[in-house]
Amino acid sequence: MAGTTGTVATPLDVATLQTRLAHFAASRRWEPFHTPKNLAMALSVEASELVEIFQWLTPEQAARVMDDPESAHRVEDEVADVLAYLLQLCEVLGIDALAALAAKIDRNESRFPAPGA
């Protein structure tokens, strides 16, 4: 699967997306504002905007949120914003997001063994 920037296809992987985000911020001279504190706060705000979409839905309505094109678009935009800020935070702090997730899954498998395992 590939994303596009103009007419040039780029692979969708974490490093490529982080590079695109860094270029986007740099071309607008936003780097001074992309501190760990500011990025963590922005991440929290965007996660809250995602939560807001689901706030008053029943479990059944929430399960069908992607069936409506308008609400699906809103969810996708907020998920993208959350991921963008998370990837930027990882870049600034030097965290390999995929390695951190893999390590966390390993720890959780030890902490919470599957029943009967």
Side-chain angles (χ1 to χ4, degrees):
M1 182 179 267
T4 58
T5 54
T7 59
V8 178
T10 56
L12 289 178
D13 60 63
V14 171
T16 299
L17 292 171
Q18 285 176 309
T19 299
R20 287 186 63 195
L21 288 164
H23 176 73
F24 181 86
S27 67
R28 288 154 181 80
R29 298 185 177 101
W30 290 349
E31 301 104 319
F33 308 104
H34 285 193
T35 64
K37 176 191 75 76
N38 288 352
L39 291 169
M41 289 177 12
L43 174 60
S44 175
V45 169
E46 294 302 337
S48 294
E49 289 178 4
L50 178 60
V51 169
E52 183 181 30
I53 295 168
F54 294 92
Q55 184 174 10
W56 302 113
L57 300 181
T58 66
E60 295 77 20
Q61 290 169 323
R64 295 188 313 270
V65 73
M66 299 305 287
D67 294 345
D68 173 58
E70 184 177 328
S71 63
H73 179 71
R74 289 179 58 218
V75 169
E76 289 173 355
D77 274 356
E78 296 308 333
V79 166
D81 288 342
V82 168
L83 183 57
Y85 280 119
L86 180 59
L87 291 178
Q88 289 174 91
L89 180 63
C90 288
E91 179 72 17
V92 166
L93 294 175
I95 296 170
D96 179 330
L98 298 181
L101 177 56
K104 180 67 176 188
I105 293 169
D106 290 344
R107 286 192 304 276
N108 283 343
E109 287 175 339
S110 294
R111 289 179 59 202
F112 308 105

